[in-house]
């Protein structure tokens, strides 16, 4: 569904009104904090949670669902320099 809205002057800022049906579908409520970004095609993307920036810890763990991580320790042998471990 595509709808249109008008950019209006609100004090020193510009603003848009979001139709109630769009808010309902997006499950956006009064006083929700929204984050926005502009992609390479100049599209504005609104989300209720920030999109993690690539290279950040949040980005690295964005798909982590809480499963326990299993790993094996590797024996690297004796220290060959001034290692403290």
């Amino acid at each position: 569904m595509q709808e249109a809205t008008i950019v209006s002057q609100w004090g020193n800022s510009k603003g848009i009104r979001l139709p109630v049906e769009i808010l309902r579908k997006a499950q956006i409520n009064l006083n929700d904090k929204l984050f926005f970004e502009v992609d390479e095609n100049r599209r504005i993307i609104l989300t209720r949670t920030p999109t993690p920036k690539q290279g950040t810890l949040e980005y690295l763990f964005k798909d982590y669902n809480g499963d326990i991580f299993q790993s094996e320790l590797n024996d690297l042998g004796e220290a060959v320099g001034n290692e403290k471990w």
Side-chain angles (χ1 to χ4, degrees), residues 54-74:
Q54 191 168 1
T56 63
L57 195 58
E58 291 83 8
Y59 180 83
L60 294 173
F61 283 91
K62 68 181 172 46
D63 297 322
Y64 177 65
N65 61 8
D67 290 343
I68 296 174
F69 178 73
Q70 297 289 333
S71 177
E72 294 181 21
L73 293 176
N74 293 322

Side-chain angles (χ1 to χ4, degrees), residues 1-6 16-26 28:
M1 174 172 123
Q2 188 173 18
E3 290 199 28
T5 190
I6 304 281
I16 61 169
R17 293 178 191 241
L18 301 174
V20 69
E21 188 173 334
I22 297 293
L23 295 172
R24 207 175 289 133
K25 282 186 175 184
I28 296 171

